[in-house]
Amino acid sequence: MAKLPQLRKEIGKVIIGQQEAISEVLISLLAGGHCLLEGVPGLAKTLMVKTMSDALAMRFKRIQFTPDLMPGDIVGTEVLEDDHETGHKVFVFNRGPIFANVVLADEINRTPPKTQAAMLEAMQEYKVTYGGNDYVLPKPFLIIATQNPIEQAGTYPLPEAQLDRFLLYIKLSYPSEREELEVLKSTTGTARPELQTILSDEDIIQLQKLTRQVHISDELIEYINRLVRASRPAETPSPFVKQWGEWGAGPRAGQALVLCAKARAVLNERFSVIPDDIQTLAYPILRHRIALNFRAEAEGITTDQVIKELLSTVK
């Protein structure tokens, strides 16, 4: 646990700003889930993930999703080879880029649903099935998918049921003026920071086990339960949610809030969850699990506004 602040410092050698996004990606890793990153081009999404995997000594693979990408391009395929012992030809499974510790699924909404489903099956099952055989994915295993919010022509948006499989939906914002100035100075010269390996694969697995042991009081679990249930228009005490909501978050949102709150406590070197953990993580956990009605979309109401209202309503 003591190495986690050092890990964030190491990532900060390369990534300037975006501290909230970095923390949320690390929370997703500690909680054993996957995350969806959304941001305009040029906000260092790929560099952030690559830097994190380097500091963690984790095997990294990047998959650029395109309209012609096939499921076999992700999970792997069988090839015909000669068996030198028997002299016969045999089929051998050639593992795809999904067999890595950290997989960056770049622009996941640019590929057809069939290929998206292959990726999402691996996310859920932590294994790949091919030719009737199961191939277990390495541990730890983290998929970080990215989306470009400004260009929707020729895209295949993820259905709500598939979005729900992402533990966190992280939105990257523009850097501040000071951070952007620092980016210009540090990335246009010859200096290249050298990263140290802070945590091994086994260290991450142990931290994931520790995360589940973090204490959370019954009162806070009840608070999470009330918060999730209040997101559903049919049973919410909030007039705002009744007016703008179509449907709310399911039980998986509550599970995610408990687990991620524990992970945030570990990241901040605490052994107990506090209310701030829940309130901070409500946004990346609920924003892709709440659907707004047509009127809300027409009026420009966002899910983040609904979550803010929920947090002020549910005490």
Side-chain angles (χ1 to χ4, degrees), residues 58-134:
M58 295 170 75
R59 190 173 173 222
F60 170 77
K61 289 287 183 182
R62 177 178 178 269
I63 306 171
Q64 180 63 53
F65 280 75
T66 57
D68 59 349
L69 196 73
M70 299 295 290
D73 298 327
I74 295 172
V75 301
T77 187
E78 286 184 334
V79 293
L80 195 61
E81 292 184 357
D82 291 319
D83 189 328
H84 298 294
E85 293 182 5
T86 63
H88 297 115
K89 291 187 178 295
V90 293
F91 281 103
V92 177
F93 182 66
N94 229 1
R95 298 177 180 229
I98 194 75
F99 287 88
N101 298 114
V102 178
V103 179
L104 178 65
D106 227 347
E107 295 191 290
I108 192 171
N109 57 338
R110 293 236 167 257
T111 205
K114 184 178 180 180
T115 308
Q116 290 175 355
M119 168 70 77
L120 291 158
E121 181 187 6
M123 286 169 50
Q124 183 71 13
E125 306 296 335
Y126 289 86
K127 66 180 181 182
V128 166
T129 303
Y130 194 97
N133 296 316
D134 289 340

Side-chain angles (χ1 to χ4, degrees), residues 9 13-14 16-17 40 47 62 64 86 108 154 158 177 192 200-202 204-205 208 210 236 249 258 263 265 271 308:
K9 185 179 178 183
K13 287 182 180 179
V14 178
I16 297 164
V40 299
L47 184 60
R62 177 178 178 269
Q64 180 63 53
T86 63
I108 192 171
L158 290 170
E177 185 177 356
R192 290 291 180 270
S200 65
D201 293 356
E202 189 56 40
I204 292 294
I205 291 170
Q208 288 176 340
L210 175 65
T236 184
V258 172
F271 290 99
K308 185 178 180 181

Side-chain angles (χ1 to χ4, degrees), residues 238-298:
S238 168
F240 192 87
V241 177
K242 283 184 186 290
Q243 183 180 4
W244 305 112
E246 183 70 25
W247 46 263
R252 189 179 283 159
Q255 293 171 320
L257 259 174
V258 172
L259 201 51
C260 288
K262 290 183 175 187
R264 189 173 186 266
V266 170
L267 195 62
N268 289 286
E269 301 180 89
R270 284 186 275 105
F271 290 99
S272 184
V273 173
I274 60 175
D276 185 60
D277 295 327
I278 298 163
Q279 290 156 0
T280 300
L281 290 166
Y283 291 94
I285 287 172
L286 294 177
R287 65 167 54 112
H288 57 303
R289 293 183 166 102
I290 294 174
L292 304 181
N293 56 33
F294 177 77
R295 185 183 169 197
E297 293 177 14

